[in-house]
Amino acid sequence: MKSVVLSALLLAVAGAAVAGPACNAPKEKWMPEAAFKKDVEAQGYQIKTFKVSKGQCYEIYGTDKAGKKVEIYFDPVSGKAIEQK
């Protein structure tokens, strides 16, 4: 029983360490998704996948100008990158 509880605790800690940043702005202040995507693509990124992360940030998976794979979290209000993996 202890090993099950310990395993669950370790998974929870590991999941928290992998999770992205948190964005706390109210949704009515967010940049529209279409405008955000257009802005990011104008910066040279190609978006393969776009989503709203669990932490309520805009998140993209795709490639940068050089064709390198990227995973980036953005502030949904300003559109600025806040974390890249």
Side-chain angles (χ1 to χ4, degrees), residues 49-68:
T49 303
F50 168 85
K51 67 180 189 174
V52 175
S53 70
K54 290 180 182 179
Q56 297 298 297
C57 301
Y58 283 160
E59 180 179 8
I60 67 159
Y61 295 85
T63 56
D64 64 12
K65 294 178 194 178
K68 181 182 173 190

Side-chain angles (χ1 to χ4, degrees), residues 15-85:
V18 174
C23 299
N24 299 315
K27 286 197 176 193
E28 60 269 7
K29 294 187 177 187
W30 288 19
M31 179 185 299
E33 289 180 16
F36 168 78
K37 290 176 184 179
K38 186 176 180 179
D39 184 50
V40 168
E41 289 171 343
Q43 295 175 42
Y45 293 98
Q46 290 187 346
I47 300 171
K48 182 177 180 182
T49 303
F50 168 85
K51 67 180 189 174
V52 175
S53 70
K54 290 180 182 179
Q56 297 298 297
C57 301
Y58 283 160
E59 180 179 8
I60 67 159
Y61 295 85
T63 56
D64 64 12
K65 294 178 194 178
K68 181 182 173 190
K69 289 184 179 183
V70 294
E71 175 185 352
I72 309 174
Y73 295 87
F74 294 86
D75 180 289
V77 176
S78 67
K80 292 183 180 180
I82 54 176
E83 185 176 315
Q84 182 170 342
K85 293 184 176 183

